[in-house]
């Protein structure tokens, strides 16, 4: 079987064209520029890199972007004050608090203080509640990006067996709900699932979001499956498995250049020739997460400008 590699950049460009044309209409009607504020606490290098990419994508689209960098020692009340200020600003339509937060911060209280209309991550109880009910305006960026992959491929998930490995609030749970609303038959697996590879092998659509490098090997993959790798972990050469260390691999080059490589959950090389579609790491789902953040920011700005829900291009 020939495996088609799905490069996120290509799908992201396709989505960005749509965002651009909706942004043009929005600007013509309201004269407003959508504004995104990203709050980052501490110095985690991976988080800092993600936040920089988010700000860059925002500016490239012509949106207003602000990054609020807070020291590791920031307290929960201080963060609540920052978010309250952003909630009140008319030029900020979207607020994202980059996770993970330092352990000393009360994550739930902080996230729940975001005005729901500015909750572009879709993490608030009202946002997740809407997603459960099916009347959501937008969904968490990474799962929303995965749904765009299916749309791009014209792959109708209806009636297909989808197996999701990982039950996080950010990816696993919203992914399951989006697929369920699209009429897939959904199974969620996690760290306590018995016979994981056997369950995974049932999948027409296999989505792994465990952050466990190398977890998904050929034994997890049904012939012809669509495999989406959402695991994103930085590893050093001593943590790599042999295929990763092949002299020509992109990872080898990354080890040499940066001292680490970003890898997914899937043993990509093993699945080539077995899967019908596969997303690489890096370069697969990553660019879509950022693009869907722009999409969600535009929708939040549209809602705040009084657009009707049916003008938001949901789903
Ligand atoms: N950290 C890693 N992914 C995400 C995400 O989608 N949203 C937020 N807020 N933090 C993250």
């Amino acid at each position: 079987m020939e495996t088609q590699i799905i490069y996120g950049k290509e799908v992201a460009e396709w989505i960005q064209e749509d965002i651009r044309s909706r942004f043009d209409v929005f600007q013509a009607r309201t004269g407003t520029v959508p504004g995104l504020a990203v709050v980052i606490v501490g110095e985690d290098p991976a988080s800092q890199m993600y936040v920089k990419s988010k700000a860059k994508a925002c500016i490239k689209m012509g949106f207003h972007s602000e990054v609020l960098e807070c020291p590791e020692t920031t307290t929960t009340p201080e963060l609540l004050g920052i978010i309250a200020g952003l909630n009140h600003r008319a030029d900020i339509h979207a607020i994202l608090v980059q996770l993970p937060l330092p352990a000393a911060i009360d994550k739930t209280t902080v996230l729940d203080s975001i005005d729901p209309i500015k909750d572009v991550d879709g993490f608030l109880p009202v946002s997740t509640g809407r997603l459960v009910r099916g009347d959501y305006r937008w969904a968490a960026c990474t799962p929303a990006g995965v749904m765009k992959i299916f749309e791009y491929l014209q792959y109708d998930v209806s009636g297909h067996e989808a197996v999701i490995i990982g039950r996080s609030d950010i990816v696993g749970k919203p992914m399951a709900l989006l697929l369920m609303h699209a009429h897939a038959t959904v199974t969620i697996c996690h760290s306590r699932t018995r016979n994981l590879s056997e369950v995974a092998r049932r999948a027409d659509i296999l989505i792994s979001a465990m952050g466990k490098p190398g977890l998904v090997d050929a034994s997890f993959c049904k012939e012809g499956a669509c495999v989406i790798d959402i695991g994103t972990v930085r590893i050093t050469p001593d943590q790599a498995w042999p295929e990763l260390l092949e002299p020509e691999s992109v990872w080898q080059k990354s080890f040499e250049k940066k001292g680490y490589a970003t890898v997914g959950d899937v043993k990509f090389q093993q699945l080539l020739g077995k899967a019908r579609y596969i997303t690489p790491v890096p370069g697969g789902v990553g660019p879509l997460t950022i693009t869907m953040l722009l999409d969600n920011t535009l929708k939040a700005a549209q809602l705040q400008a009084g657009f009707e829900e049916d003008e938001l291009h949901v789903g």
Side-chain angles (χ1 to χ4, degrees), residues 8-9 11-13 15-16 19 36 50-51 53-54 57-58 96 98 120-121 123 139-149 170-171 175 228-232 283-297:
K9 192 166 172 272
V11 185
E13 279 166 7
I15 303 165
Q16 282 161 18
I19 297 174
L36 167 72
Y50 295 142
V51 166
S53 309
K54 286 169 184 175
C58 233
L96 181 144
Q98 184 67 22
V120 266
D121 262 324
F123 289 167
C141 302
T142 303
V146 172
M147 295 308 289
K148 286 287 181 190
I149 294 179
I170 299 190
V171 179
M175 189 75 256
I228 309 280
D229 190 353
I230 307 185
T232 310
V285 172
L288 294 172
T289 299
I290 295 176
T291 301
M292 293 316 290
L293 178 62
L294 301 180
D295 197 64
N296 290 355
T297 298

Short mmCIF file of all heavy atoms in Angstrom, two decimals, residues 8-9 11-13 15-16 19 36 50-51 53-54 57-58 96 98 120-121 123 139-149 170-171 175 228-232 283-297:
data_model
loop_
_atom_site.label_atom_id
_atom_site.label_comp_id
_atom_site.label_asym_id
_atom_site.label_seq_id
_atom_site.Cartn_x
_atom_site.Cartn_y
_atom_site.Cartn_z
N GLY A 8 1.46 19.07 7.34
CA GLY A 8 0.54 20.06 7.92
C GLY A 8 0.61 21.41 7.24
O GLY A 8 -0.40 22.12 7.14
N LYS A 9 1.79 21.76 6.73
CA LYS A 9 1.97 23.08 6.13
C LYS A 9 1.01 23.27 4.94
O LYS A 9 0.42 24.33 4.77
CB LYS A 9 3.43 23.19 5.67
CG LYS A 9 3.87 24.57 5.30
CD LYS A 9 5.39 24.62 5.20
CE LYS A 9 5.84 25.95 4.65
NZ LYS A 9 5.90 25.99 3.20
N VAL A 11 -1.86 21.70 4.38
CA VAL A 11 -3.25 21.83 4.84
C VAL A 11 -3.44 23.21 5.48
O VAL A 11 -4.46 23.88 5.29
CB VAL A 11 -3.60 20.71 5.85
CG1 VAL A 11 -5.07 20.76 6.23
CG2 VAL A 11 -3.24 19.34 5.31
N ALA A 12 -2.41 23.65 6.23
CA ALA A 12 -2.49 24.96 6.92
C ALA A 12 -2.64 26.08 5.90
O ALA A 12 -3.43 27.01 6.10
CB ALA A 12 -1.25 25.18 7.78
N GLU A 13 -1.92 25.98 4.78
CA GLU A 13 -2.03 27.04 3.75
C GLU A 13 -3.44 27.09 3.17
O GLU A 13 -3.98 28.17 2.92
CB GLU A 13 -0.98 26.82 2.66
CG GLU A 13 0.37 27.35 3.10
CD GLU A 13 1.53 26.87 2.24
OE1 GLU A 13 1.28 26.21 1.20
OE2 GLU A 13 2.68 27.14 2.64
N ILE A 15 -6.19 26.24 4.77
CA ILE A 15 -7.08 26.84 5.78
C ILE A 15 -6.84 28.36 5.83
O ILE A 15 -7.78 29.15 5.95
CB ILE A 15 -6.83 26.24 7.19
CG1 ILE A 15 -7.02 24.72 7.19
CG2 ILE A 15 -7.75 26.87 8.24
CD1 ILE A 15 -6.46 24.03 8.42
N GLN A 16 -5.57 28.74 5.73
CA GLN A 16 -5.24 30.18 5.83
C GLN A 16 -5.88 31.00 4.72
O GLN A 16 -6.27 32.14 4.93
CB GLN A 16 -3.72 30.36 5.84
CG GLN A 16 -3.11 30.04 7.20
CD GLN A 16 -1.62 29.78 7.14
OE1 GLN A 16 -0.97 30.14 6.18
NE2 GLN A 16 -1.10 29.13 8.17
N ILE A 19 -9.25 31.65 5.94
CA ILE A 19 -9.24 32.64 7.03
C ILE A 19 -9.06 34.04 6.44
O ILE A 19 -9.75 34.99 6.82
CB ILE A 19 -8.11 32.34 8.06
CG1 ILE A 19 -8.34 30.99 8.73
CG2 ILE A 19 -8.01 33.45 9.12
CD1 ILE A 19 -7.21 30.54 9.66
N LEU A 36 -5.13 38.74 19.57
CA LEU A 36 -4.87 37.55 20.43
C LEU A 36 -3.82 37.91 21.47
O LEU A 36 -2.76 38.44 21.13
CB LEU A 36 -4.34 36.39 19.56
CG LEU A 36 -3.74 35.20 20.31
CD1 LEU A 36 -4.83 34.38 21.02
CD2 LEU A 36 -2.96 34.29 19.36
N TYR A 50 6.75 27.57 21.07
CA TYR A 50 5.37 27.50 20.56
C TYR A 50 4.73 28.88 20.57
O TYR A 50 4.04 29.28 19.63
CB TYR A 50 4.50 26.56 21.41
CG TYR A 50 4.90 25.11 21.37
CD1 TYR A 50 4.84 24.32 22.52
CD2 TYR A 50 5.34 24.51 20.20
CE1 TYR A 50 5.22 22.98 22.50
CE2 TYR A 50 5.72 23.17 20.18
CZ TYR A 50 5.67 22.42 21.33
OH TYR A 50 6.04 21.11 21.31
N VAL A 51 4.95 29.62 21.67
CA VAL A 51 4.33 30.94 21.81
C VAL A 51 4.86 31.89 20.73
O VAL A 51 4.10 32.65 20.12
CB VAL A 51 4.56 31.48 23.24
CG1 VAL A 51 4.25 32.96 23.33
CG2 VAL A 51 3.69 30.71 24.23
N SER A 53 5.93 31.03 17.80
CA SER A 53 5.32 30.63 16.52
C SER A 53 3.89 31.14 16.41
O SER A 53 3.45 31.55 15.33
CB SER A 53 5.30 29.11 16.36
OG SER A 53 6.55 28.58 16.59
N LYS A 54 3.17 31.11 17.53
CA LYS A 54 1.77 31.58 17.52
C LYS A 54 1.73 33.07 17.21
O LYS A 54 0.94 33.52 16.38
CB LYS A 54 1.11 31.29 18.89
CG LYS A 54 0.78 29.82 19.10
CD LYS A 54 0.39 29.50 20.53
CE LYS A 54 0.16 27.98 20.68
NZ LYS A 54 -0.11 27.54 22.03
N ALA A 57 2.63 33.74 13.52
CA ALA A 57 1.53 33.40 12.59
C ALA A 57 0.44 34.46 12.62
O ALA A 57 -0.14 34.82 11.59
CB ALA A 57 0.95 32.03 12.97
N CYS A 58 0.18 34.97 13.82
CA CYS A 58 -0.84 36.00 14.01
C CYS A 58 -0.47 37.25 13.21
O CYS A 58 -1.29 37.81 12.48
CB CYS A 58 -0.86 36.36 15.49
SG CYS A 58 -2.43 36.27 16.23
N LEU A 96 -5.13 33.22 25.37
CA LEU A 96 -4.61 31.85 25.52
C LEU A 96 -3.55 31.86 26.62
O LEU A 96 -2.62 32.66 26.57
CB LEU A 96 -3.99 31.39 24.19
CG LEU A 96 -3.41 29.98 24.15
CD1 LEU A 96 -3.67 29.34 22.80
CD2 LEU A 96 -1.92 29.95 24.44
N GLN A 98 -0.69 29.76 27.98
CA GLN A 98 0.10 28.61 27.50
C GLN A 98 0.29 27.60 28.63
O GLN A 98 0.65 27.95 29.76
CB GLN A 98 1.48 29.12 27.00
CG GLN A 98 2.36 28.04 26.40
CD GLN A 98 1.82 27.46 25.08
OE1 GLN A 98 1.02 28.08 24.38
NE2 GLN A 98 2.25 26.25 24.75
N VAL A 120 -10.22 30.92 23.29
CA VAL A 120 -9.92 30.30 21.98
C VAL A 120 -9.38 28.87 22.09
O VAL A 120 -9.31 28.16 21.09
CB VAL A 120 -8.89 31.11 21.16
CG1 VAL A 120 -9.58 32.04 20.21
CG2 VAL A 120 -7.86 31.78 22.01
N ASP A 121 -8.97 28.48 23.30
CA ASP A 121 -8.54 27.09 23.50
C ASP A 121 -9.74 26.15 23.65
O ASP A 121 -9.59 24.93 23.52
CB ASP A 121 -7.70 26.99 24.78
CG ASP A 121 -6.20 27.02 24.50
OD1 ASP A 121 -5.79 26.45 23.48
OD2 ASP A 121 -5.46 27.60 25.32
N PHE A 123 -11.21 25.58 26.52
CA PHE A 123 -10.96 24.81 27.75
C PHE A 123 -12.00 25.05 28.85
O PHE A 123 -12.08 24.30 29.79
CB PHE A 123 -9.59 25.19 28.34
CG PHE A 123 -8.41 24.71 27.56
CD1 PHE A 123 -7.14 25.21 27.84
CD2 PHE A 123 -8.53 23.74 26.57
CE1 PHE A 123 -6.03 24.77 27.13
CE2 PHE A 123 -7.42 23.31 25.85
CZ PHE A 123 -6.18 23.82 26.14
N ALA A 139 -13.48 24.70 18.58
CA ALA A 139 -13.02 23.64 19.48
C ALA A 139 -11.51 23.78 19.68
O ALA A 139 -10.85 24.52 18.94
CB ALA A 139 -13.35 22.28 18.88
N ALA A 140 -10.98 23.07 20.66
CA ALA A 140 -9.54 23.09 20.96
C ALA A 140 -8.76 22.96 19.65
O ALA A 140 -9.12 22.19 18.76
CB ALA A 140 -9.20 21.96 21.91
N CYS A 141 -7.68 23.74 19.56
CA CYS A 141 -7.02 23.95 18.26
C CYS A 141 -6.48 22.66 17.62
O CYS A 141 -6.64 22.46 16.41
CB CYS A 141 -5.87 24.95 18.42
SG CYS A 141 -6.42 26.52 19.06
N THR A 142 -5.85 21.80 18.40
CA THR A 142 -5.23 20.62 17.78
C THR A 142 -6.29 19.65 17.22
O THR A 142 -6.22 19.29 16.04
CB THR A 142 -4.27 19.92 18.77
OG1 THR A 142 -3.30 20.88 19.18
CG2 THR A 142 -3.59 18.72 18.15
N PRO A 143 -7.29 19.27 18.02
CA PRO A 143 -8.32 18.40 17.43
C PRO A 143 -9.06 19.06 16.26
O PRO A 143 -9.39 18.39 15.28
CB PRO A 143 -9.29 18.14 18.59
CG PRO A 143 -8.59 18.54 19.81
CD PRO A 143 -7.50 19.48 19.47
N ALA A 144 -9.27 20.38 16.37
CA ALA A 144 -9.94 21.07 15.25
C ALA A 144 -9.07 20.98 13.99
O ALA A 144 -9.59 20.80 12.88
CB ALA A 144 -10.20 22.53 15.62
N GLY A 145 -7.76 21.07 14.17
CA GLY A 145 -6.83 20.94 13.04
C GLY A 145 -6.88 19.55 12.42
O GLY A 145 -6.82 19.40 11.20
N VAL A 146 -7.02 18.54 13.27
CA VAL A 146 -7.10 17.16 12.75
C VAL A 146 -8.37 17.00 11.90
O VAL A 146 -8.33 16.39 10.82
CB VAL A 146 -7.06 16.14 13.92
CG1 VAL A 146 -7.33 14.73 13.40
CG2 VAL A 146 -5.73 16.20 14.64
N MET A 147 -9.47 17.59 12.36
CA MET A 147 -10.70 17.50 11.57
C MET A 147 -10.53 18.17 10.21
O MET A 147 -11.10 17.73 9.20
CB MET A 147 -11.88 18.13 12.32
CG MET A 147 -12.27 17.41 13.61
SD MET A 147 -12.56 15.63 13.46
CE MET A 147 -14.09 15.58 12.56
N LYS A 148 -9.71 19.22 10.17
CA LYS A 148 -9.43 19.90 8.90
C LYS A 148 -8.64 18.99 7.95
O LYS A 148 -8.77 19.08 6.73
CB LYS A 148 -8.67 21.21 9.14
CG LYS A 148 -9.52 22.31 9.71
CD LYS A 148 -10.47 22.87 8.63
CE LYS A 148 -11.32 23.99 9.16
NZ LYS A 148 -12.39 24.38 8.23
N ILE A 149 -7.78 18.14 8.53
CA ILE A 149 -7.04 17.19 7.68
C ILE A 149 -8.04 16.30 6.94
O ILE A 149 -7.92 16.08 5.73
CB ILE A 149 -6.07 16.31 8.51
CG1 ILE A 149 -4.96 17.16 9.12
CG2 ILE A 149 -5.49 15.16 7.66
CD1 ILE A 149 -3.97 16.37 9.98
N ILE A 170 -7.01 18.58 26.55
CA ILE A 170 -6.59 19.41 25.40
C ILE A 170 -6.81 18.67 24.09
O ILE A 170 -7.20 19.27 23.09
CB ILE A 170 -5.09 19.78 25.47
CG1 ILE A 170 -4.76 20.60 26.71
CG2 ILE A 170 -4.65 20.53 24.24
CD1 ILE A 170 -3.36 21.19 26.71
N VAL A 171 -6.52 17.38 24.06
CA VAL A 171 -6.59 16.66 22.78
C VAL A 171 -7.59 15.49 22.79
O VAL A 171 -8.56 15.48 22.04
CB VAL A 171 -5.19 16.16 22.34
CG1 VAL A 171 -5.30 15.41 21.01
CG2 VAL A 171 -4.21 17.30 22.19
N MET A 175 -11.11 15.64 20.80
CA MET A 175 -10.97 14.89 19.54
C MET A 175 -12.10 13.87 19.42
O MET A 175 -12.71 13.70 18.36
CB MET A 175 -9.59 14.18 19.55
CG MET A 175 -9.19 13.54 18.25
SD MET A 175 -8.67 14.74 17.02
CE MET A 175 -10.06 14.80 15.93
N ILE A 228 -2.71 9.51 12.64
CA ILE A 228 -2.44 10.91 13.00
C ILE A 228 -1.62 10.92 14.28
O ILE A 228 -2.07 10.41 15.32
CB ILE A 228 -3.76 11.69 13.24
CG1 ILE A 228 -4.75 11.51 12.09
CG2 ILE A 228 -3.47 13.15 13.56
CD1 ILE A 228 -4.54 12.34 10.87
N ASP A 229 -0.45 11.50 14.20
CA ASP A 229 0.47 11.50 15.35
C ASP A 229 0.46 12.88 16.01
O ASP A 229 0.94 13.86 15.42
CB ASP A 229 1.88 11.14 14.85
CG ASP A 229 2.85 10.88 16.00
OD1 ASP A 229 2.48 11.10 17.17
OD2 ASP A 229 3.98 10.45 15.71
N ILE A 230 -0.06 12.93 17.22
CA ILE A 230 -0.13 14.22 17.93
C ILE A 230 0.90 14.28 19.07
O ILE A 230 1.06 15.30 19.71
CB ILE A 230 -1.56 14.50 18.44
CG1 ILE A 230 -2.57 14.35 17.30
CG2 ILE A 230 -1.67 15.89 19.04
CD1 ILE A 230 -3.99 14.71 17.65
N GLY A 231 1.58 13.17 19.31
CA GLY A 231 2.61 13.18 20.35
C GLY A 231 3.74 14.12 19.93
O GLY A 231 4.14 14.12 18.77
N THR A 232 4.17 14.96 20.82
CA THR A 232 5.28 15.88 20.50
C THR A 232 6.18 15.96 21.71
O THR A 232 5.82 16.57 22.72
CB THR A 232 4.75 17.29 20.16
OG1 THR A 232 3.71 17.17 19.20
CG2 THR A 232 5.85 18.17 19.60
N GLY A 283 6.19 18.60 11.56
CA GLY A 283 5.71 18.92 10.20
C GLY A 283 4.35 18.36 9.88
O GLY A 283 3.87 18.51 8.76
N GLY A 284 3.71 17.69 10.87
CA GLY A 284 2.39 17.13 10.61
C GLY A 284 1.31 18.04 11.20
O GLY A 284 0.94 19.06 10.61
N VAL A 285 0.84 17.66 12.39
CA VAL A 285 -0.28 18.37 13.00
C VAL A 285 0.12 19.75 13.55
O VAL A 285 -0.71 20.66 13.62
CB VAL A 285 -0.91 17.47 14.10
CG1 VAL A 285 -1.95 18.21 14.90
CG2 VAL A 285 -1.50 16.22 13.48
N GLY A 286 1.41 19.92 13.92
CA GLY A 286 1.87 21.17 14.56
C GLY A 286 1.41 22.44 13.86
O GLY A 286 0.79 23.30 14.50
N PRO A 287 1.68 22.60 12.56
CA PRO A 287 1.27 23.84 11.88
C PRO A 287 -0.25 24.06 11.90
O PRO A 287 -0.73 25.19 11.81
CB PRO A 287 1.76 23.65 10.44
CG PRO A 287 2.78 22.57 10.50
CD PRO A 287 2.43 21.70 11.67
N LEU A 288 -1.00 22.96 12.02
CA LEU A 288 -2.46 23.09 12.03
C LEU A 288 -2.97 23.65 13.35
O LEU A 288 -3.95 24.39 13.38
CB LEU A 288 -3.10 21.73 11.76
CG LEU A 288 -2.82 21.21 10.36
CD1 LEU A 288 -3.31 19.80 10.21
CD2 LEU A 288 -3.48 22.10 9.34
N THR A 289 -2.29 23.29 14.44
CA THR A 289 -2.69 23.81 15.75
C THR A 289 -2.63 25.33 15.73
O THR A 289 -3.55 26.02 16.16
CB THR A 289 -1.76 23.25 16.85
OG1 THR A 289 -1.88 21.84 16.86
CG2 THR A 289 -2.10 23.80 18.22
N ILE A 290 -1.53 25.84 15.19
CA ILE A 290 -1.35 27.30 15.14
C ILE A 290 -2.38 27.93 14.21
O ILE A 290 -2.97 28.96 14.52
CB ILE A 290 0.10 27.63 14.73
CG1 ILE A 290 1.04 27.13 15.83
CG2 ILE A 290 0.27 29.12 14.49
CD1 ILE A 290 2.51 27.29 15.53
N THR A 291 -2.60 27.31 13.07
CA THR A 291 -3.57 27.87 12.12
C THR A 291 -4.98 27.88 12.70
O THR A 291 -5.73 28.85 12.51
CB THR A 291 -3.52 27.08 10.80
OG1 THR A 291 -2.20 27.17 10.30
CG2 THR A 291 -4.49 27.61 9.78
N MET A 292 -5.34 26.83 13.44
CA MET A 292 -6.68 26.81 14.02
C MET A 292 -6.82 27.84 15.14
O MET A 292 -7.93 28.31 15.42
CB MET A 292 -7.05 25.40 14.53
CG MET A 292 -7.20 24.38 13.42
SD MET A 292 -8.12 24.95 11.97
CE MET A 292 -9.79 25.05 12.63
N LEU A 293 -5.69 28.20 15.74
CA LEU A 293 -5.74 29.29 16.73
C LEU A 293 -6.13 30.60 16.04
O LEU A 293 -6.91 31.39 16.58
CB LEU A 293 -4.37 29.41 17.43
CG LEU A 293 -4.23 30.52 18.45
CD1 LEU A 293 -5.20 30.34 19.61
CD2 LEU A 293 -2.79 30.58 18.98
N LEU A 294 -5.62 30.81 14.84
CA LEU A 294 -6.01 32.00 14.06
C LEU A 294 -7.50 31.93 13.70
O LEU A 294 -8.23 32.92 13.80
CB LEU A 294 -5.18 32.11 12.78
CG LEU A 294 -3.66 32.20 12.92
CD1 LEU A 294 -3.01 32.31 11.56
CD2 LEU A 294 -3.28 33.39 13.78
N ASP A 295 -7.92 30.75 13.28
CA ASP A 295 -9.32 30.54 12.90
C ASP A 295 -10.23 30.85 14.10
O ASP A 295 -11.23 31.56 13.97
CB ASP A 295 -9.48 29.08 12.45
CG ASP A 295 -10.75 28.85 11.67
OD1 ASP A 295 -10.88 29.45 10.59
OD2 ASP A 295 -11.61 28.10 12.15
N ASN A 296 -9.85 30.30 15.26
CA ASN A 296 -10.66 30.52 16.47
C ASN A 296 -10.63 31.98 16.89
O ASN A 296 -11.64 32.53 17.35
CB ASN A 296 -10.15 29.63 17.62
CG ASN A 296 -10.44 28.15 17.37
OD1 ASN A 296 -11.10 27.80 16.40
ND2 ASN A 296 -9.94 27.29 18.24
N THR A 297 -9.47 32.64 16.73
CA THR A 297 -9.36 34.06 17.09
C THR A 297 -10.29 34.89 16.22
O THR A 297 -10.99 35.79 16.70
CB THR A 297 -7.89 34.53 16.94
OG1 THR A 297 -7.09 33.78 17.85
CG2 THR A 297 -7.74 36.01 17.24
#
